[in-house]
């Protein structure tokens, strides 16, 4: 008897946990699809009851000035007495009339073609070219005073290229002398000037020109030569 009662209770619990399967043909949120179509048609008819008026039916009358409700409105009298040329923002003011400003004669092809011609422009250009003044390069001025060797003049006087041996050099401990003495100058121009002041390019007591081209350390005469030759 207990087993039968237990079985009945178990079947009842399973039936309560198993939900009913909905009918897919009934639709979602309504009874069936036919009822949905009827409700949708009624809704569309209600929404489409007020059609938009045609463009010509819109009135062109000027709106009356809004009453003061926390926002200041400009009256017609204030707008008429305003001499600043600024149109006040008010519904009572008429829309400003926009006028075409046009373009200047300089940018107007029709106007310019009536005043100038291709031949006239060519003659004017030739006249301007005759007034050009070509300044020829001149020799460098001689430095006055005791300012030390002129590395620019030396670069122009020397005819050999960088790395081309011209002078005899002592190769004993040449690499160490080169690194030590060249490291004491802030620029290659200063090194070349000190090299010339110390007897260079014929003599190289400090080993600043180990290849014998007459140019100390990393100094290169090419920039000075290119500046003169153009």
């Amino acid at each position: 008897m207990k087993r039968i009662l237990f079985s009945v209770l178990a079947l009842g619990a399973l039936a309560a946990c198993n939900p009913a399967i909905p009918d897919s043909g009934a639709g979602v949120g309504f009874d069936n699809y036919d009822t949905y179509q009827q409700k949708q048609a009624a809704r569309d008819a209600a929404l489409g009851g007020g059609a938009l008026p045609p463009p010509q039916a819109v009135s062109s009358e000027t709106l009356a000035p809004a009453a003061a409700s926390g926002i200041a409105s400009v009256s017609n009298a204030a707008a008429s007495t305003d001499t600043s040329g600024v149109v006040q923002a008010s519904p009572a003011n008429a829309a400003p009339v926009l006028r075409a400003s046009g373009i200047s004669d300089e940018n107007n092809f029709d106007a310019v073609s009536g005043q100038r011609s291709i031949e006239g422009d060519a003659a004017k250009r030739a006249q301007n070219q005759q007034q050009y003044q070509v300044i020829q390069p001149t020799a460098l001025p001689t430095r006055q005073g005791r300012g030390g060797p002129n590395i620019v003049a030396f670069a122009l006087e020397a005819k050999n290229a960088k790395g081309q041996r011209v002078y005899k050099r002592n190769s004993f401990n040449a690499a160490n002398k080169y690194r030590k003495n060249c490291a004491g100058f802030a620029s290659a121009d200063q090194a070349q000037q000190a090299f010339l002041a110390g007897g260079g390019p014929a003599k190289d007591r400090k080993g600043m020109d180990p290849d014998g081209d007459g140019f100390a350390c990393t100094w290169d005469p090419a920039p000075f030569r290119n500046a003169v030759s153009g």
Side-chain angles (χ1 to χ4, degrees):
M1 186 62 183
K2 291 183 179 180
R3 291 181 179 179
I4 296 175
L5 179 60
F6 179 76
S7 299
V8 172
L9 292 176
L11 291 175
L14 290 176
C17 295
N18 188 15
I21 299 175
D23 184 5
S24 59
V28 179
F30 43 82
D31 296 338
N32 51 45
Y33 192 71
D34 294 337
T35 303
Y36 165 75
Q37 286 185 326
Q38 294 176 1
K39 293 181 179 180
Q40 183 67 26
R43 179 176 176 274
D44 294 342
L47 293 176
L52 295 176
Q56 61 272 15
V58 179
S59 175
S60 61
E61 294 182 2
T62 303
L63 298 176
S69 59
I71 301 177
S73 62
V74 181
S75 63
N76 292 334
S80 61
T81 57
D82 186 7
T83 59
S84 62
V86 179
V87 179
Q88 300 296 330
S90 172
N93 296 329
V97 179
L98 300 179
R99 298 182 177 87
S101 59
I103 58 178
S104 63
D105 290 344
E106 189 68 21
N107 298 322
N108 191 335
F109 180 77
D110 296 334
V112 173
S113 61
Q115 301 173 4
R116 297 161 56 182
S117 63
I118 298 177
E119 294 77 8
D121 289 345
K124 187 175 182 180
R125 183 168 59 253
Q127 182 182 1
N128 292 336
Q129 289 178 352
Q130 293 178 358
Q131 299 176 359
Y132 292 163
Q133 294 182 0
V134 180
I135 300 177
Q136 298 296 336
T138 58
L140 294 174
T142 303
R143 177 176 294 184
Q144 303 296 332
R146 302 176 61 182
N150 190 336
I151 60 176
V152 178
F154 178 77
L156 301 180
E157 293 173 358
K159 303 303 180 182
N160 62 300
K162 183 174 176 60
Q164 181 180 357
R165 179 180 292 274
V166 179
Y167 307 97
K168 294 182 179 180
R169 296 290 185 253
N170 185 4
S171 60
F172 177 74
N173 200 22
N176 292 332
K177 290 182 179 180
Y178 178 81
R179 287 193 297 267
K180 177 182 178 181
N181 294 317
C182 287
F185 297 94
S187 66
D189 290 343
Q190 293 180 2
Q192 180 66 18
Q193 190 172 10
F195 169 68
L196 296 177
K203 298 180 180 180
D204 183 20
R205 297 183 176 89
K206 294 185 177 181
M208 299 170 62
D209 179 26
D211 56 0
D213 59 357
F215 312 134
C217 302
T218 59
W219 189 78
D220 190 354
F224 304 99
R225 297 171 179 176
N226 295 337
V228 175
S229 62

